[in-house]
Amino acid sequence: MLQIAIADDHTLFRKSLRLLIGTFDQMTVVVEAGNGIELLKKLETTSADILLLDLQMPEMDGFEICIKVKQLYPEIKILILTQMDEMEAITKAMKMGVQGYFTKNTPPNELENAILKMHDNGFYFEKDLTSIIKEIQKNPSFKFDPGKEVIFTARELEVIELTAMGLKAKEISEKLFISTKTVNAHKQNIQQKYGFETMMAAILYSIHHQIIDLKDLDEK
């Protein structure tokens, strides 16, 4: 059962989101907070797998909360849930190592898919943001390098390409004729061996250096 935390200062939206997630299989909301201070206080006593985080909040904004959660609870995956779809906000969030970005004008039924993909693949960015992500990674000032030379093995590259296309671990295992456990081991190894904080970082690095083609994100 996935443990979900929600941080959003709009009470009606937060309560509606909790009800919506309650209809999803294998998910439950364990933390609900209206600001960053309340969230951090509740996380002291309640563990969560995934945090749905609004960027525009009082007390602490979403970016400040990202930094704190990354420091204190690095195991929690962060899905930004916001009305902000500007390149500057998305770039800042990606550089902070969030695992997902979901705009509030997206159909509610896509949220379950977003959470599951982020949990399985290690990242989720909705398809409507693909063009913005492409522009970000093409910008010379945007660097997602781990600080050392990266030479992926053939198998690692296959896993990166298929993950970029949105395939889940089980689907990748079937295509490559390996176990799901092995796929997840490759993903973990890619991040640890090369110093990428998330699989999204590894994918962006690969696109930026033309190791994989931009069309992979189009097929997400």
Side-chain angles (χ1 to χ4, degrees), residues 67-80:
I67 293 171
K68 284 290 186 183
V69 171
K70 287 287 181 183
Q71 288 174 344
L72 299 172
Y73 311 102
E75 72 281 0
I76 296 179
K77 295 177 181 176
I78 300 175
L79 175 63
I80 299 297

Side-chain angles (χ1 to χ4, degrees), residues 115-208:
I115 294 172
L116 290 174
K117 276 197 171 182
M118 193 176 80
H119 178 67
D120 188 88
N121 286 345
F123 80 95
Y124 174 86
F125 278 77
E126 67 179 72
K127 193 173 181 63
D128 288 347
L129 298 176
T130 299
S131 60
I132 297 176
I133 293 171
K134 287 180 182 179
E135 289 305 312
I136 291 171
Q137 65 82 32
K138 286 191 291 186
N139 189 326
S141 66
F142 181 71
K143 299 296 182 186
F144 230 123
D145 294 2
K148 60 183 178 181
E149 184 181 10
V150 172
I151 301 176
F152 297 114
T153 66
R155 180 62 87 195
E156 289 169 348
L157 191 54
E158 286 177 323
V159 171
I160 291 171
E161 288 176 335
L162 293 172
T163 302
M165 292 168 65
L167 273 66
K168 294 181 180 180
K170 186 175 185 300
E171 296 168 323
I172 294 174
S173 71
E174 291 169 354
K175 276 188 172 291
L176 300 182
F177 303 102
I178 56 179
S179 69
T180 302
K181 184 177 179 180
T182 300
V183 172
N184 289 327
H186 278 303
K187 289 182 180 181
Q188 186 176 19
N189 194 45
I190 287 166
Q191 291 179 228
Q192 292 179 347
K193 183 165 70 171
Y194 302 114
F196 293 112
E197 188 172 353
T198 65
M199 276 299 294
M200 187 63 182
I203 290 168
L204 285 172
Y205 175 91
S206 301
I207 294 171
H208 187 76

Side-chain angles (χ1 to χ4, degrees), residues 4-77:
I4 309 295
I6 303 172
D8 193 295
D9 63 314
H10 293 92
T11 304
L12 180 59
F13 177 80
R14 192 173 67 248
K15 297 295 183 183
S16 299
L17 189 59
R18 181 171 196 146
L19 289 173
L20 175 64
I21 292 172
T23 68
F24 298 161
D25 291 335
Q26 301 301 310
M27 295 184 205
T28 183
V29 175
V30 295
V31 171
E32 187 184 322
N35 60 64
I37 294 174
E38 183 184 0
L39 171 70
L40 293 174
K41 185 68 177 175
K42 289 185 175 181
L43 287 177
E44 288 178 2
T45 55
T46 308
S47 61
D49 301 305
I50 291 174
L51 168 63
L52 306 185
L53 176 64
D54 188 18
L55 288 179
Q56 297 170 300
M57 286 195 295
E59 306 290 345
M60 300 170 65
D61 67 26
F63 298 114
E64 292 175 290
I65 296 170
C66 273
I67 293 171
K68 284 290 186 183
V69 171
K70 287 287 181 183
Q71 288 174 344
L72 299 172
Y73 311 102
E75 72 281 0
I76 296 179
K77 295 177 181 176

